[in-house]
Amino acid sequence: MYKPNFQKREVIVFRQFQRKGYSLFACLGREVLISVLSVATLSATKAAGISDETWRADADHATTVQARHNAPGKQTAGNGTTYSFATLAQLPEFGVTYVDGAPGYYLVERNDTIAESDRFVLDENVIVKFEDQVTLVIKGEADFTVSDGSRTTFTRAHELATPYSIKVNNTQGARFRNVTFDYVGVESMSTGAIEVENCTFTNHTGTSAAALYFITNGQESLIRDCLFETCKRAAIGSAANASQPMTISRCQLKRNSTDNRNIPQINITASKVTIDGCIVEGDSTSQTINNMVGGIGISNFSAFPDTEVLVKDCQITHNRYGIGTVGPVNIRIEQNHIRDNNHEANPMNGGSGISLYDPYAMTTAVIAGNHIEGNIWGITIIGCKDVNVGQPTASDVKSPGGNTFLNNGFDGQPYDLYNNSKLTVYAQNNKWSVSSQTEEQIESVIFHKNDDSSLGEVIFMPAYDNEAAITLPRLPVPAACGRYGLNGMRLPSSTTRQLFIENGKKYFR
């Protein structure tokens, strides 16, 4: 069997990137199969920088905007007052104005701050437009919830504007519900919990490392029933020095990281993390568009302890790779549909359905009940402590197996499982991409000790007993953000006379 030259464990490179504070996967070199990475730095200032070219097309407007930005933003008094955009627009010292029109909207022109002892509540059914380089900072209590059936939209003021974000910098956390973020992102520096439900993030301009970005440690946060689409960098991200626990549930992430850099759509540091029932879809129309973009990337460059990651019931398709981990992680990968993550042009640089890389040999992984199809590599293992892909007779039943492999490989050579470590890996009770589940045929799709004596053995017999032993994973239903036709397709908000499903209920309007 052909053996790629990627046995080196680039520990030195890994440590260099760890010291420099890069978020998630750095490019670990051709020698490392996973090679999946992000080079998003922790510096919010650098991440938020924009080109001086932006305003050259309109010098007059540039002068006006610069003068406006030179005026310092205003902070509220901190006396327990509750503010909204409507109340801020009544105070001339703040950079919020109401622009009448059809429809009317609130224009935010300066970096104003809600003080620590004050409160901010979100107006319902309004449009809020941010000028170039504008941030709204919330240091007090934050309530960005809109009642069901209503919607509030944040967007840019004009085509030349690159707005920054809503920045939550408090101890209480914040709630976001039924809000559309178009070109505008959310950054959390809060030590409290962030809840984001039924929200939409589109076209984020990359002014921070992710459309929804966690910069510091906080309480367990929840992102549920949200849509992230065509954002320039990651959809959801956290800094390399932030062990931010979170649950990402029933979300749709489609064609993000449009900047086509080595940044996965979910780009987070390991903690107590659950990713459940999500759709993570790259560009399904071409393998050359956004071919550097991974699906789910989880790293632990800071060696945080007590990491417990669960990725379950997700559909991960058409990315550069499906699920990739770097550094010490305890992870369970169950009942996912991981297909056609083969957009990496060079197989030595990526293309795994699942890739586990840990030069410190601390990672433990359980992989069960997944459908792994059409990837360049099915599962790849580099380093790690214990990886179990199937051992149903063990007393603790680490993994029942039940994984289905189909058509993983490249250049006519199948690769369902590549054990590029010294571990003994159990991979029993799985269905392999061979015509007959015999030991001889299964050997042809697994690379391990029998192919290179320096590597560990994969124990793969017995394989599955019968068709009933293999259950395909349950695919996630569309997230509840927005309206969906009965065919499952998302409908534009302007659709009126249509039979549709919204928040799980059927309507005709």
Side-chain angles (χ1 to χ4, degrees), residues 144-451:
F144 284 79
T145 61
V146 175
S147 59
D148 291 341
S150 300
R151 200 81 180 171
T152 286
T153 298
F154 290 92
T155 189
R156 60 183 180 179
H158 47 79
E159 291 184 359
L160 296 179
T162 305
Y164 286 175
S165 62
I166 306 293
K167 182 174 290 185
V168 182
N169 187 7
N170 62 14
T171 58
Q172 303 98 317
R175 297 184 65 219
F176 298 84
R177 179 176 172 81
N178 298 328
V179 182
T180 294
F181 296 92
D182 187 36
Y183 297 97
V184 179
V186 173
E187 296 181 56
S188 173
M189 299 182 68
S190 175
T191 55
I194 302 295
E195 295 184 16
V196 186
E197 187 172 11
N198 198 25
C199 292
T200 299
F201 294 78
T202 55
N203 304 315
H204 184 253
T205 55
T207 53
S208 59
L212 175 57
Y213 187 44
F214 295 86
I215 301 174
T216 58
N217 298 342
Q219 297 178 18
E220 183 173 356
S221 294
L222 172 66
I223 305 105
R224 181 170 60 198
D225 295 332
C226 292
L227 171 67
F228 297 81
E229 191 167 13
T230 60
C231 297
K232 192 171 183 179
R233 299 179 75 181
I236 303 170
S238 62
N241 61 348
S243 179
Q244 170 62 55
M246 68 179 76
T247 294
I248 305 170
S249 181
R250 303 196 306 263
C251 291
Q252 297 185 64
L253 303 96
K254 297 185 175 183
R255 297 176 297 280
N256 295 290
S257 202
T258 59
D259 203 25
N260 199 26
R261 296 166 60 182
N262 288 340
I263 300 175
Q265 297 196 59
I266 296 179
N267 189 25
I268 57 177
T269 294
S271 181
K272 295 186 183 301
V273 171
T274 296
I275 303 173
D276 177 27
C278 293
I279 295 172
V280 185
E281 180 183 310
D283 195 310
S284 60
T285 63
S286 172
Q287 289 184 311
T288 59
I289 299 175
N290 293 344
N291 63 329
M292 297 296 293
V293 181
I296 298 174
I298 301 168
S299 72
N300 192 4
F301 287 114
S302 298
F304 290 113
D306 302 325
T307 62
E308 295 292 339
V309 179
L310 173 64
V311 182
K312 184 177 181 180
D313 289 328
C314 292
Q315 179 174 309
I316 307 164
T317 61
H318 298 290
N319 301 286
R320 180 189 174 192
Y321 59 91
I323 301 170
T325 69
V326 172
V329 178
N330 299 314
I331 186 168
R332 296 185 66 92
I333 302 172
E334 301 178 346
Q335 298 292 316
N336 302 285
H337 195 95
I338 305 169
R339 179 173 51 83
D340 295 334
N341 298 287
N342 52 21
H343 289 206
E344 170 56 61
N346 184 348
M348 298 304 98
N349 290 342
S352 299
I354 300 172
S355 185
L356 308 171
Y357 173 73
D358 177 15
Y360 302 116
M362 297 173 65
T363 287
T364 64
V366 171
I367 301 172
N370 302 282
H371 184 89
I372 304 170
E373 177 183 356
N375 309 285
I376 295 176
W377 316 88
I379 298 174
T380 58
I381 303 164
I382 304 175
C384 302
K385 178 182 178 180
D386 183 21
V387 178
N388 196 301
V389 189
Q391 194 179 5
T393 59
S395 58
D396 54 356
V397 192
K398 293 182 179 180
S399 170
N403 299 287
T404 298
F405 297 85
L406 184 63
N407 298 331
N408 302 288
F410 64 97
D411 290 343
Q413 175 61 57
Y415 287 103
D416 281 349
L417 194 160
Y418 199 112
N419 183 18
N420 197 38
S421 74
K422 297 185 181 300
L423 300 178
T424 296
V425 175
Y426 279 86
Q428 299 170 326
N429 194 38
N430 296 303
K431 182 178 180 181
W432 305 90
S433 55
V434 293
S435 59
S436 179
Q437 302 295 306
T438 64
E439 183 172 357
E440 181 181 4
Q441 289 199 25
I442 296 172
E443 272 285 357
S444 69
V445 298
I446 294 176
F447 197 97
H448 63 137
K449 184 176 182 179
N450 288 0
D451 305 283

